């Protein structure tokens, strides 16, 4: 696989690079679209990048070099979540699916107790929603007005997941939505 996850030491060697990455890019589909250095420093101090729940990595690509940031979240829970942020110059080049597939493989090969891996995105983050589908994830929920937007109306939050058994067998099991009325 062309993708390597390189551990980030947020309070040590990687601190400056992490602050620079987060403050030099815009993230139009995140709640905080243009984080400030102070906000990132506060998040580092609060353990948001590395603690019992969070583990952050640079995404290093065999051909392209460092293309972005990946954080595994909720690691002390049964179901981890994630945050994926490509650098602006690497967005829209077809890398997301491969990266999410690599992250999925990492979860299921290194966390034997984990049965499902989850993610959420805004309804209008079409690229991310396509990436979920490409990586074999399944949409499970659509939370209407569930995503706050600064200075605007809330949009929906869409939830996806992948099951270990689907990952192992290479299948994609759809959600049966009408089971109650069947
Ligand atoms: C969201 C993100 C991870 C997607 O990865 P990516 O490598 O840029 O996505 P891709 O280039 O593989 O595009 C995926 C699909 O979306 C389509 N697409 C890409 N940008 C699009 C856009 N702005 N509008 C509509 N479709 C778009 C592509 O054509 C592709 O379609 P296909 O699967 O039919 O071929 C990346 O753009 C990113 O890091 N964005 C900023 C941070 C972010 O929003 N992260 C998500 C947090 S959950």
């Amino acid at each position: 696989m062309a993708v390597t996850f390189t551990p980030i030491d947020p309070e040590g060697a990687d601190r400056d690079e992490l602050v620079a990455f987060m403050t030099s890019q815009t993230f139009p589909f995140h709640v905080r679209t243009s984080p400030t250095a102070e906000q990132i420093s506060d998040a580092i101090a609060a353990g948001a990048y590395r603690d019992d729940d969070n583990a952050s990595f640079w995404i290093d690509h065999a051909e392209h070099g460092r293309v972005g940031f990946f954080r595994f979240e909720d690691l002390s829970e049964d179901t981890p979540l994630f945050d994926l942020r490509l650098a602006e110059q690497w967005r829209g080049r077809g890398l997301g699916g491969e990266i999410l597939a690599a992250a999925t493989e990492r979860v299921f090969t290194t966390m034997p107790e984990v049965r499902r891996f989850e993610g959420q995105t805004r309804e209008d983050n079409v690229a991310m929603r396509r990436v979920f589908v490409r990586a074999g994830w399944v949409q499970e929920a659509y939370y209407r007005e569930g995503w706050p937007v600064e200075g605007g109306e809330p949009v929906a939050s869409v939830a996806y997941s992948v099951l270990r058994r689907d990952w192992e067998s290479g299948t994609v099991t759809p959600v049966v939505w009408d089971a109650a009325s069947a």
Side-chain angles (χ1 to χ4, degrees):
M1 203 170 270
V3 174
T4 306
F5 295 104
T6 305
I8 290 177
D9 176 0
E11 291 184 281
D14 294 295
R15 185 193 178 87
D16 291 349
E17 189 178 349
L18 181 59
V19 173
F21 177 82
M22 290 294 172
T23 58
S24 62
Q25 319 284 319
T26 58
F27 304 101
F29 298 109
H30 279 75
V31 174
R32 198 168 267 165
T33 55
S34 300
T36 65
E38 193 184 352
Q39 287 166 339
I40 301 302
S41 293
D42 288 349
I44 291 173
Y49 293 101
R50 190 174 66 181
D51 64 6
D52 288 348
D53 271 320
N54 298 290
S56 301
F57 297 84
W58 299 122
I59 305 164
D60 290 322
H61 192 279
E63 191 185 331
H64 306 305
R66 188 150 292 177
V67 296
F69 164 92
F70 198 101
R71 174 170 55 190
F72 295 90
E73 303 171 342
D74 276 9
L75 289 170
S76 64
E77 307 288 328
D78 291 342
T79 301
L81 290 161
F82 71 89
D83 182 21
L84 164 59
R85 299 171 190 243
L86 294 184
E88 283 168 8
Q89 72 174 118
W90 296 111
R91 296 176 195 167
R93 295 178 176 221
L95 298 178
E98 185 181 6
I99 292 164
L100 186 57
T104 304
E105 178 176 324
R106 186 183 176 94
V107 164
F108 289 137
T109 54
T110 64
M111 302 176 205
E113 69 292 352
V114 170
R115 300 185 64 138
R116 39 182 288 123
F117 185 23
E118 275 181 19
Q120 297 222 6
T121 194
R122 276 171 56 149
E123 61 178 322
D124 52 351
N125 194 347
V126 179
M128 190 63 223
R129 295 183 67 181
R130 291 288 313 154
V131 162
F132 277 123
V133 172
R134 281 203 156 196
W137 290 47
V138 174
Q139 184 180 324
E140 289 187 327
Y142 190 93
Y143 299 103
R144 296 170 296 165
E145 301 188 10
W147 194 289
V149 175
E150 225 168 67
E153 290 293 304
V155 295
S157 176
V158 194
Y160 292 78
S161 80
V162 59
L163 300 179
R164 173 184 291 277
R165 62 179 159 89
D166 268 9
W167 174 77
E168 282 173 347
S169 62
T171 51
V172 178
T173 307
V175 175
V176 180
W177 288 103
D178 58 352
S181 59

